[in-house]
Amino acid sequence: MADVLGWRGCFGVVTPSTNTVVQPEYDTMRPRGITNHVARMHIANDALNSDADFNTLISRIDAALEGALERVLTAQPDRIVLGISAESIWGGGLAAARAIQERVDRMTGGLPFTQAADALPVALKALGVSGPVGLVTPYFPVAHSHLVNYLAEIGCEVVAAKHLQRPSPVGIGLTPLATLRDAINEVNLPEVRAIIQFGANLPMMHLAAQAEAWLGKPVIAINAATYWHALRSHGITDRIAGCGRLLEEH
């Protein structure tokens, strides 16, 4: 028997407890008949002042994965969506993503699963993007090599990057739109074929959609790419306006 509200699918979304952006952005993209059910990976909102602090944050998020999965599985979701992008590529690019997939499969018995590392290459292919890209994140410099290696694996060369070094996990969601706009413009070198944003707690989806109009090139917000991939993998082909070219055209 289908869920009354989620007759097309119930998505179990796993995201950090400090994340204030994934839930509202996913709900904005949610078509009728799909429902989102959010489980929180409990972490503290500790200050971020260094690469070491950021590495510790990623470790704490990673350690909280199974607990959040256990909670969301009680809702009997049809698909799991990982609402954090850094964990998906940290420490090994696509190999790291496969390790995450294996952990999720062990907990869920093999439920369909969507994560940023798998969504982005499909999104890039749909948009016809490869080669030089610009990168915007809320992270510290320690993240740069992880992202460069991952993006190289999927056919992209990072030629410009802006890591905003936000002061705390919650502080990522408080990033002013003017700061994000300036970051987009900073990495928009003439040779850049697309701008990619990592960091699921950056409030980037609507701004990225607007930036595509003024730049004339794809600006891929990671939440949009991840949720788009979840929908399309689930057989949902609805076009969603106002959330970027992926959801409007593909």
Side-chain angles (χ1 to χ4, degrees), residues 117-127 228-229 246:
D118 296 326
L120 188 58
V122 182
L124 290 167
K125 183 177 181 181
L127 293 166
W228 167 84
H229 191 245
L246 271 175

Side-chain angles (χ1 to χ4, degrees), residues 9-30:
C10 297
F11 289 178
V13 179
V14 175
T15 199
S17 55
T18 54
N19 189 306
T20 59
V21 171
V22 160
Q23 187 169 357
E25 287 197 344
Y26 280 18
D27 282 345
T28 296
M29 294 180 279
R30 181 185 64 82

